[in-house]
Amino acid sequence: MSLQMKLVAITLDCPDPPALAAFYQQATGLEPHPKSDADFAGLNGEHGLFIGFQRVDDYRAPRWPEQTVPQQLHLCFDVVDLDEAEARLLELGAGKPEHQPHDAARARVLTDPVGHPFCICLG
């Protein structure tokens, strides 16, 4: 008998949960969770998926692609226009590492404001 599991939540460590939730809310359009606070904030996603952001004292940002502080997590998002999505995400506070392992016409690696790497890919 196989175990049946459904992914319902992803939580990211960060120094300022409301600020990181705001970045992802602006980037994705997901709705803020009404019980978000300074220690734990969340966004309600499609099909019941919840993205959480929890305060961690002495947070250390991942060093991508280096592994001195491992990336911990890597999210991927489909987009319609890579250039437009990249420009908007950079305006919102994302970073763009120099190292880009993919064909830039198909996918790009960015980092959120606290260093978590994520990809934007042509969907």
Side-chain angles (χ1 to χ4, degrees):
M1 180 174 170
S2 67
L3 180 63
Q4 296 294 316
M5 297 192 317
K6 177 183 176 186
L7 181 63
V8 296
I10 297 169
T11 300
L12 287 76
D13 291 349
C14 62
D16 184 346
L20 193 56
F23 168 80
Y24 280 102
Q25 192 275 325
Q26 291 174 26
T28 64
L30 298 177
E31 292 296 318
H33 190 277
K35 293 186 179 179
S36 294
D37 61 30
D39 290 320
F40 190 90
L43 299 174
N44 295 316
E46 295 179 27
H47 310 293
L49 181 62
F50 178 84
I51 302 174
F53 309 92
Q54 66 186 1
R55 180 178 304 283
V56 171
D57 294 331
D58 301 321
Y59 173 79
R60 292 178 50 203
R63 301 289 303 169
W64 190 89
E66 305 161 25
Q67 292 298 307
T68 53
V69 178
Q71 64 180 313
Q72 305 161 17
L73 174 78
H74 189 106
L75 301 171
C76 294
F77 298 93
D78 284 346
V79 298
V80 175
D81 182 308
L82 280 170
D83 292 333
E84 184 179 306
E86 178 182 316
R88 178 66 178 132
L89 289 162
L90 293 173
E91 284 177 12
L92 293 174
K96 184 175 180 183
E98 187 175 319
H99 177 70
Q100 294 291 315
H102 308 292
D103 173 1
R106 297 180 40 83
R108 299 177 192 161
V109 176
L110 300 176
T111 55
D112 69 23
V114 299
H116 299 110
F118 65 93
C119 285
I120 53 174
C121 308
L122 277 180

